[in-house]
Amino acid sequence: MAMIFCNTLFSSPPLLSPLTSTQTKPSRSSKNLIARAQSQSMEDHIHDDPLRQKFMEFPYVTATRKQLMVDIISTVEDHFQPLLLPCSLPPDVRNFKNPNGSAEASIYIRSGEKSSPIDFFIGSWVHGKIPTGVTLNITTVSAFLKSSTNAPNFTLEVIQTSPTSLILILDLPHRTDLVLNPDYIKEYYQDTNLDSYRQSLLKLPGVKPYVSPSLFVRCVVSPAASVLKIDVEEEEQLEEIWRDHVGPAAKEILGVWFERCAREDDEEKRVMGEEERMELERRDKSFRLKNIEDDLDFQFPILFGEEVSSRVLHVIKEAFGVL
């Protein structure tokens, strides 16, 4: 699954979801209290959800990697409460296997309320053996903003092919033409010193840049993206890099995204014309469609078979709005 990237091995990227929104009209004085009570009630229900609990197990990765994924997802949920709707995917899409049980995946998507700056966020994990004999484990957390702002999205994706080797994609992917908008580079990448995380990780033993074979992937990552291959000799080395370097970097970059990109007041601050908004919507839709066509349409039938893939991909495409 994955969100944005990989076309590695035999591919990897996205899964997202739609949005429905609800809206109440409490008095101004009681609005915050009502929202807080609704949020707490919703979260109590969500945390009792057995399919969410199954998803949050991340059963095929190490405890260190699982902890980071759980931390990132929980932080996103906590940050945007009460502005997120519960996951509404069908049970047989939230968790599914191939007929012989050799491949399994789980998808978790929550959409934003009408007043939320977030369109939706997705977490996913995929485990299975590809035709080359390689066992593939992909974990993804990505968050997408609405077209009321062209601020970058957030993505963290990991594609692991052995206990000592993985590919990392950690980025705030841009949503505009950077050549035409140099101030965008300054605001989101230069002033935030985002490239320093990539530079620091590259100084570690066993870490080097990863060049995706997909030209499309290479044009959608930001100039400051940490698209890296980590290849070490011992599992403990990989765990140390993940625990001491990748984890802290991911959490700090998520913090930058909260502060600079996903602010609730951005819709008022960033006034976009109708034509600009429509162009952004076209760009976002084109990006999502291309990810499905290049990756999931090819990858899922190989891992899960035609029947399961057809069912799951139909729901995903409906969620993307690209049916």
Side-chain angles (χ1 to χ4, degrees):
M1 217 112 356
M3 189 354 339
I4 295 202
F5 306 77
C6 241
N7 295 61
T8 320
L9 306 174
F10 76 22
S11 196
S12 57
L15 302 202
L16 311 73
S17 163
L19 310 173
T20 44
S21 59
T22 59
Q23 191 170 329
T24 58
K25 292 186 178 180
S27 68
R28 191 175 184 83
S29 61
S30 63
K31 185 176 180 181
N32 289 339
L33 290 175
I34 293 174
R36 193 175 301 118
Q38 291 174 334
S39 172
Q40 186 59 55
S41 176
M42 180 187 295
E43 284 308 291
D44 290 344
H45 171 73
I46 287 169
H47 286 281
D48 288 338
D49 178 0
L51 287 174
R52 180 185 184 276
Q53 294 172 7
K54 171 67 175 176
F55 163 70
M56 294 289 264
E57 289 175 3
F58 287 92
Y60 298 101
V61 299
T62 65
T64 306
R65 182 165 146 197
K66 169 188 171 179
Q67 190 59 56
L68 176 60
M69 293 296 173
V70 170
D71 287 348
I72 293 290
I73 292 165
S74 299
T75 301
V76 172
E77 290 184 306
D78 291 345
H79 182 86
F80 287 109
Q81 287 304 339
L83 301 174
L84 290 173
L85 300 171
C87 179
S88 60
L89 295 176
D92 60 0
V93 173
R94 292 182 65 178
N95 185 263
F96 53 95
K97 299 179 180 180
N98 65 4
N100 63 20
S102 63
E104 183 178 7
S106 184
I107 307 171
Y108 182 65
I109 300 170
R110 293 184 66 182
S111 300
E113 291 273 10
K114 184 176 181 180
S115 59
S116 173
I118 192 172
D119 195 351
F120 58 86
F121 86 90
I122 170 179
S124 65
W125 53 259
V126 177
H127 167 82
K129 184 172 289 188
I130 61 177
T132 60
V134 172
T135 298
L136 185 65
N137 284 305
I138 304 173
T139 51
T140 304
V141 181
S142 294
F144 299 84
L145 297 174
K146 292 180 178 176
S147 59
S148 54
T149 175
N150 66 358
N153 295 319
F154 170 85
T155 194
L156 167 63
E157 180 173 62
V158 185
I159 303 96
Q160 188 159 16
T161 56
S162 83
T164 58
S165 179
L166 59 78
I167 293 165
L168 168 70
I169 301 100
L170 177 58
D171 192 23
L172 303 186
H174 58 90
R175 296 167 68 216
T176 190
D177 187 325
L178 298 180
V179 175
L180 294 177
N181 297 278
D183 289 345
Y184 192 99
I185 299 176
K186 183 177 188 301
E187 179 176 3
Y188 295 116
Y189 305 117
Q190 185 174 324
D191 290 351
T192 59
N193 203 24
L194 206 67
D195 196 49
S196 64
Y197 298 100
R198 181 188 64 85
Q199 294 175 14
S200 294
L201 291 172
L202 278 172
K203 293 177 182 178
L204 301 173
V207 180
K208 60 183 180 180
Y210 173 74
V211 180
S212 171
S214 167
L215 296 177
F216 175 74
V217 166
R218 281 145 60 181
C219 80
V220 298
V221 296
S222 83
S226 294
V227 184
L228 307 171
K229 183 170 185 180
I230 305 176
D231 197 355
V232 294
E233 294 183 0
E234 303 290 337
E235 290 184 49
E236 182 54 37
Q237 291 176 272
L238 189 58
E239 287 297 281
E240 181 180 342
I241 290 172
W242 190 265
R243 180 183 62 246
D244 298 341
H245 302 281
V246 173
K251 292 177 181 179
E252 289 183 25
I253 290 174
L254 180 63
V256 170
W257 185 73
F258 286 149
E259 177 62 28
R260 291 296 185 106
C261 307
R263 297 170 60 92
E264 291 184 48
D265 61 356
D266 268 6
E267 187 166 352
E268 298 177 5
K269 192 174 69 174
R270 304 173 190 279
V271 179
M272 297 177 66
E274 185 62 24
E275 185 175 344
E276 184 181 4
R277 186 188 296 260
M278 289 178 63
E279 182 62 28
L280 180 58
E281 289 177 354
R282 285 195 294 269
R283 185 189 190 279
D284 287 345
K285 183 175 181 179
S286 176
F287 167 76
R288 297 170 191 181
L289 177 60
K290 183 66 173 173
N291 270 283
I292 292 175
E293 290 176 341
D294 283 4
D295 291 300
L296 300 187
D297 278 342
F298 172 62
Q299 175 185 1
F300 269 29
I302 295 174
L303 279 174
F304 299 103
E306 293 293 340
E307 183 179 346
V308 173
S309 297
S310 177
R311 181 187 73 239
V312 174
L313 287 173
H314 180 83
V315 173
I316 292 171
K317 290 176 180 179
E318 187 175 40
F320 271 70
V322 295
L323 274 179

